[in-house]
Amino acid sequence: MSSLFDFENKTDRYTVMGNPISHSKSPFIHTCFAKQTSQNIEYTATQVDPGGFEQAVGNFQASGGKGLNITVPFKQEAWELVDERSPRANIAGAVNTILFKPDNTLLGDNTDGIGLVRDLTNNHQCNIENKRLLVLGAGGAVRGVLLPLLEQKPALITIANRTIDKAHLLAQLYKQHGNILGSHYTDLAGQKFDLIINGTSASLNDQLPPLPDNILMENAWCYDMMYAKDPTVFLRWGNQQKATNTIDGLGMLVEQAAESFYLWRGVRPDTQEVIKAVREQI
């Protein structure tokens, strides 16, 4: 009888792997989700040395782990490692969530884009349909969000990047899913956008992408996928340009985590209180 009781109350283990990882809010977020939904899980953070990712995943799976999140710099390596990928992970070329299936195969997903879209549409009531979007950057962060954004049916997504070839490459990759173009920053002058999303890492260094003035439509929004205690330099620029709303990426962080949690547990947590709790932490 006691063994059955122990089995029914077994704690399922999850982790987030990255380098560095000590700053990660994921353990706090998933612990909040578990309490809210009465799920018996333990979620930790695991720092992985370069070259050690595949072994770390194998060790965690062998020790009874149920799944994991992946952050910088291992998302592309995770994409290559998994046995099966969701459509959004497949086209993104990056995996941030792995589910260990009962047959011991690995299912990879990318929840970043749906996290961004849910934060914009559910938490902030931003309507993307038929709007002109400008996405800054052409790296992995941007690649992971383009398909969910295009599924919202914007009139146009323009990808602006310092290296225009990368922007054109991304536009070519996603063109079958909607109206999307690649551009250099210097080509933006004279254009107008309803929503600008900063997918570069410039905010981490308090730097602003080289944006021309007067490219915001009336009632335009600015969204930075980065977040910090104080508004990022990009969001400060948005305020100076009279954006109607300026939003950081903290809600995206929680929403993408909620999608991972749903993949693992089959339960969709409420994100509002968790977003508030993480905001208080920072």
Side-chain angles (χ1 to χ4, degrees), residues 174-235:
Y174 284 91
K175 68 177 184 178
Q176 69 190 79
H177 299 283
N179 191 14
I180 185 166
L181 300 172
S183 173
H184 193 274
Y185 287 104
T186 54
D187 299 324
L188 298 177
Q191 299 188 56
K192 297 279 188 181
F193 300 95
D194 298 289
L195 170 63
I196 303 180
I197 299 171
N198 181 23
T200 75
S201 59
S203 292
L204 293 175
N205 302 312
D206 204 35
Q207 295 178 347
L208 181 70
L211 293 167
D213 291 335
N214 303 314
I215 60 171
L216 294 184
M217 292 274 206
E218 188 177 353
N219 300 318
W221 296 45
C222 289
Y223 190 103
D224 199 330
M225 289 166 61
M226 301 293 167
Y227 68 92
K229 179 180 178 181
D230 299 311
T232 65
V233 63
F234 170 71
L235 296 184

Side-chain angles (χ1 to χ4, degrees), residues 24-36:
S24 176
K25 301 295 183 189
S26 293
F28 176 77
I29 292 169
H30 283 278
T31 299
C32 290
F33 289 161
K35 288 178 181 176
Q36 179 198 114

Side-chain angles (χ1 to χ4, degrees), residues 247-265:
I247 305 163
D248 71 13
L250 192 148
M252 173 183 171
L253 172 72
V254 176
E255 293 292 345
Q256 64 81 23
E259 185 71 7
S260 296
F261 191 88
Y262 177 72
L263 177 68
W264 295 326
R265 309 302 297 177

